[in-house]
Amino acid sequence: MVREVLTYSPIDASQAPAPSGTFLRVRVPATSANLGVGFDVMGLALDLVAEFAFATSDQLEVHGCLPKYCNDRNLVWTSYLTACKMLDVNPRTLSIGIHAPLPLSGGLGSSSTCVVAGVIAAQLLSGRAFNKALTLNMATSIEGHPDNVAPAVYGGLTSSFVEAGTTYAAVMPVSDNLRFVAMAPPYVVRTEEARRALPKQVPLQTAVWQMGRCVAMADALLRGDTQLIARACHDKLHEPHRMLLIPHYDMLRTKALQAGACAFVISGSGSTMLAIVEGDEGARKVEDAVRDTVEGLWVHTLHATPEGASVETVVC
Ligand code: HSE
C-alpha cells in the first residue's frame, strides 16, 4: 500500500492575499462524492468554501497553495488554459490567489474546486457570462467524473451522468437537520490507487442492492430521515475495497456509530470520511468521540449547502 503521509498542516489561507488589481473572485464549495451508495453518481456541496482571485499579470503567479503547485502545473491554471482552448479564446497571463481551507488528505473535492474555478475564469475573462451547464460540461471533461463537479457548480445534492458528451445533473435540496462530521486523517489516498482497488465487474444482485439503496439514500437525505439513511447507506461497490486503504477507517467508523451517527462513509475516494448525524448536539458527540483518536486528524462539522459556485467581479 502506498500512502503519502502529510507532514504539513493544511494551508493557512490568510497567507494568500488576493493579487493586486484583482477583478475576478470565484467561490466554489467543497464537495463529498459517492455518499456511500452513490458511487460515481451522487455528490453533496458542503459549507466549506474555496476562494480564487484572478488578476491579469505580466507573468504567471500562483499564491496560496503548496510550493510544488505554485507554477504552470497548477490545476486552476491548467484548467483555465484547457477551458480557453475549448472556448476558442486566447488565454491571458494571470496572477491567481487561492484561499482553500480544505484538508489535503483528499476526498472533499479540492481538485474540482480548482477545475471549476479555472473554467469559470475562462468564461468571465473572455467577456462571457458564467454559464452553469457549460461549466459542468467543461469541468467534467477536465476532471473525468461529474460527481464532485456537479455539486460544486450547482450546490445541494446532485445525481449526475454523462450521455453522448453532455453531463446531466439532477439537483436536490438536503434537509437542514443533517450534519456531516468530516474526518481527514493525516495521509493521502490517491484516487487512481483507490480506483485500482475496485473490481471491474459486479454481480447482478449487487447492482440491484445498490440501486435500491442509492435512490432511497437520496430521498432520505432530502427529507432528513436518519432511520432510512441508517438502513440504506451500506455500499457494496467501493467501500469494502477502499476501507483497506484507510488504516483508521474501522476504528473511526465504530466510534462514530457508537456516538450516534446514522451512517459513516468514505468521502469520495478518501482518505477523508464523513459521519452523517442528526443535529448540532449529535455532531458534537461524534466530534468528541473521534477528535483525539488519531494524531493530526482534521475534524469539522459541515452542513450541506444549496450554494454552488459563485462569482464576484471586482474592478480595482
Ligand atoms: N467517484 C469518484 C471515486 C470520486 O470514488 O473514485 C473521486 O473523484
Side-chain angles (χ1 to χ4, degrees):
M1 183 195 310
V2 181
R3 281 190 286 119
E4 181 183 331
V5 177
L6 302 177
T7 53
Y8 38 76
S9 312
I11 297 158
D12 178 358
S14 63
Q15 292 171 6
S20 59
T22 296
F23 58 89
L24 177 62
R25 283 177 202 274
V26 178
R27 291 164 52 83
V28 188
T31 50
S32 181
N34 300 333
L35 294 158
V37 286
F39 175 68
D40 268 2
V41 167
M42 280 207 284
L44 176 70
L46 296 163
D47 63 345
L48 180 68
V49 175
E51 294 187 358
F52 303 85
F54 298 86
T56 52
S57 171
D58 292 338
Q59 58 180 29
L60 174 66
E61 290 172 19
V62 183
H63 305 281
C65 55
L66 295 173
K68 66 178 174 178
Y69 301 125
C70 288
N71 51 43
D72 62 1
R73 293 188 305 281
N74 180 274
L75 187 56
V76 182
W77 172 245
T78 57
S79 301
Y80 168 75
L81 291 181
T82 306
C84 283
K85 200 172 274 181
M86 290 171 171
L87 294 169
D88 197 22
V89 296
N90 288 328
R92 296 170 167 206
T93 309
L94 296 176
S95 176
I96 301 171
I98 301 172
H99 173 164
L102 280 65
L104 300 170
S105 314
L108 286 177
S110 61
S111 72
S112 287
T113 65
C114 295
V115 171
V116 168
V119 167
I120 292 173
Q123 292 168 75
L124 274 286
L125 297 180
S126 62
R128 288 164 167 71
F130 167 31
N131 178 315
K132 290 197 175 193
L134 181 64
T135 303
L136 177 64
N137 263 331
M138 292 201 290
T140 299
S141 85
I142 295 170
E143 176 82 331
H145 310 279
D147 50 352
N148 284 108
V149 167
V153 172
Y154 286 100
L157 171 69
T158 57
S159 178
S160 48
F161 62 94
V162 181
E163 173 73 35
T166 299
T167 306
Y168 297 88
V171 185
M172 296 158 268
V174 174
S175 172
D176 62 12
N177 68 323
L178 299 176
R179 303 289 177 272
F180 301 85
V181 182
M183 302 162 211
Y187 45 80
V188 174
V189 172
R190 300 205 165 284
T191 299
E192 312 82 68
E193 182 192 4
R195 293 188 82 82
R196 270 201 306 275
L198 306 182
K200 297 282 174 282
Q201 295 185 324
V202 294
L204 182 62
Q205 66 265 36
T206 302
V208 173
W209 165 285
Q210 202 78 18
M211 284 191 294
R213 283 164 180 76
C214 180
V215 176
M217 180 72 176
D219 176 61
L221 288 167
L222 197 153
R223 292 186 298 101
D225 182 340
T226 52
Q227 289 187 1
L228 186 57
I229 291 172
R231 289 267 176 217
C233 195
H234 298 282
D235 167 76
K236 283 195 175 185
L237 288 184
H238 67 118
E239 292 195 340
H241 310 282
R242 289 175 163 178
M243 64 192 197
L244 306 173
L245 304 174
I246 305 174
H248 298 100
Y249 172 91
D250 272 335
M251 182 272 291
L252 291 171
R253 180 174 194 275
T254 301
K255 288 203 178 287
L257 294 179
Q258 279 172 351
C262 61
F264 186 88
V265 299
I266 298 173
S267 187
S269 57
S271 63
T272 301
M273 292 153 274
L274 282 189
I276 306 177
V277 188
E278 177 149 40
D280 292 326
E281 185 54 32
R284 256 192 303 278
K285 284 185 184 154
V286 171
E287 278 205 19
D288 289 346
V290 301
R291 183 176 289 109
D292 295 324
T293 56
V294 181
E295 199 181 335
L297 187 71
W298 180 98
V299 183
H300 277 265
T301 294
L302 304 173
H303 302 70
T305 177
E307 302 294 327
S310 62
V311 170
E312 185 188 337
T313 306
V314 184
V315 180
C316 302

